[in-house]
Amino acid sequence: MSTPSCMREVLLMTLMVEVVSGNMTKRVRCLLDCGSQRSYILRSTAEALHLKSFSSEKLTHSLFGGARTESKNHKRYSMRLRPVGRSTGYQFDFLDQDIICGVIPRIPKGPLLKELKGHRIWISDMGDDYPEIELLIGSDIYGQILTGEVIQLNEGLTAINTKLGWTLCGEPKELNVQNLEGAQSMLITNLHVQNMKASDMWDLERIGITDEVQTFSKAVEDQLVQEQFLKGLSRYEDGRYCVSLPWVLKFPPNIASNRHIAEKKAICHYTEIKEIGLL
């Protein structure tokens, strides 16, 4: 899954939910992302709710562009979610994560409210501020909370009803999301943020310029090299082994043939040797 890329006019599915843990209740902002295989909760949120982990899972995240992170352990928590202001809740499991994603705008208040009111739709995540995403619902949970109710709005948006409340998504025709300072919304292709060092800020790969081999972790790279070696290995009848050249790229480059140049040089050398009487 990738570093999010900025887009100006695409709204993502967000909503406010309540997380219940024992006698503690916390209202958090949630992102629905069926492109993620797992669901995550911020580690800081899990600690604030005094959640107790009952297991862990070791994962390697695949990022946008084919990159992979190193394997990392994520603690697993079980918690109860419910819509804001309601008592009915649902029990789900989440993995902890230091950072889920970057800034994602909320749906601004405006003419859209009138249309939503006409459909009797109440959106829990609206406003001009940008609360942090503390919860991500991935494909392991996403299908369980859908109700099947979908309404196409006039503004080019789609309203989707879930067991945790209504949410909107899509590219609005005239909806004006303001004051985001160049980051109006995020196209989340992968929500996992790798640990960043100061030197990473001027690395070329941070702006998408990478060698193909650099998009893999060391373990994956070693595995690919081994597979390439075994695929190009053969043995002659006399017992000798033949190994193909170890190309760095997945496929060998298209190298032009220099056979005609070699033949011309051979003819020239033969002529010179013959003229001096060595043949």
Side-chain angles (χ1 to χ4, degrees):
M1 303 199 71
S2 68
T3 302
S5 58
C6 296
M7 298 184 68
R8 294 185 60 85
E9 298 179 348
V10 177
L11 296 180
L12 302 179
M13 294 183 290
T14 63
L15 43 78
M16 301 297 295
V17 299
E18 292 180 347
V19 180
V20 181
S21 175
N23 297 326
M24 298 185 64
T25 301
K26 180 177 173 59
R27 183 176 296 188
V28 302
R29 192 170 182 225
C30 176
L31 172 68
L32 308 184
D33 178 29
C34 56
S36 174
Q37 292 182 330
R38 295 287 189 271
S39 298
Y40 296 88
I41 183 173
L42 279 183
R43 182 171 290 111
S44 58
T45 303
E47 293 173 352
L49 290 168
H50 304 293
L51 298 177
K52 294 183 178 180
S53 173
F54 64 90
S55 67
S56 64
E57 185 172 350
K58 193 171 185 179
L59 295 176
T60 298
H61 296 137
S62 297
L63 309 180
F64 180 73
R68 292 173 179 262
T69 64
E70 296 295 335
S71 296
K72 183 179 180 181
N73 281 319
H74 297 264
K75 293 181 180 179
R76 185 185 298 276
Y77 300 95
S78 180
M79 65 193 74
R80 190 172 182 81
L81 302 184
R82 67 186 185 192
V84 174
R86 298 185 183 180
S87 58
T88 303
Y90 308 91
Q91 197 78 17
F92 297 116
D93 293 346
F94 290 83
L95 300 176
D96 69 343
Q97 176 69 18
D98 291 328
I99 302 174
I100 291 181
C101 64
V103 177
I104 296 180
R106 306 174 81 178
I107 301 169
K109 298 178 180 179
L112 179 62
L113 289 176
K114 185 177 181 180
E115 184 179 3
L116 293 175
K117 186 177 181 180
H119 290 288
R120 296 183 179 181
I121 296 176
W122 179 74
I123 301 296
S124 60
D125 190 30
M126 298 190 74
D128 297 326
D129 55 340
Y130 322 112
E132 185 178 17
I133 296 294
E134 300 182 60
L135 210 63
L136 183 148
I137 292 182
S139 290
D140 54 342
I141 297 176
Y142 181 78
Q144 302 179 46
I145 65 173
L146 295 178
T147 64
E149 189 174 2
V150 178
I151 298 179
Q152 299 294 335
L153 304 176
N154 294 330
E155 292 291 344
L157 299 175
T158 301
I160 301 173
N161 191 16
T162 74
K163 295 179 181 179
L164 299 174
W166 283 90
T167 183
L168 300 180
C169 68
E171 184 175 2
K173 297 178 182 177
E174 299 180 357
L175 190 61
N176 184 21
V177 184
Q178 299 178 347
N179 301 323
L180 289 186
E181 299 180 357
Q184 297 289 340
S185 62
M186 300 288 182
L187 172 62
I188 305 300
T189 50
N190 189 291
L191 299 171
H192 306 290
V193 180
Q194 302 182 70
N195 294 331
M196 179 174 285
K197 299 177 294 184
S199 60
D200 292 337
M201 291 187 290
W202 53 78
D203 285 346
L204 291 177
E205 56 263 27
R206 293 295 168 182
I207 59 174
I209 303 176
T210 61
D211 290 334
E212 184 175 350
V213 69
Q214 293 177 346
T215 62
F216 300 103
S217 65
K218 187 65 169 62
V220 175
E221 181 183 346
D222 291 343
Q223 182 180 354
L224 291 175
V225 171
Q226 182 180 9
E227 292 176 356
Q228 182 183 11
F229 173 78
L230 294 177
K231 187 176 181 179
L233 179 65
S234 61
R235 189 177 184 182
Y236 295 127
E237 294 181 357
D238 59 2
R240 292 182 300 162
Y241 289 93
C242 178
V243 182
S244 61
L245 292 175
W247 301 111
V248 175
L249 301 177
K250 186 176 180 181
F251 299 102
N254 185 17
I255 301 177
S257 173
N258 63 347
R259 179 185 178 90
H260 65 289
I261 298 177
E263 289 177 344
K264 288 182 178 179
K265 288 185 177 181
I267 294 174
C268 290
H269 292 321
Y270 175 81
T271 303
E272 291 176 356
I273 293 173
K274 187 174 183 181
E275 287 178 352
I276 62 177
L278 295 179
L279 289 179

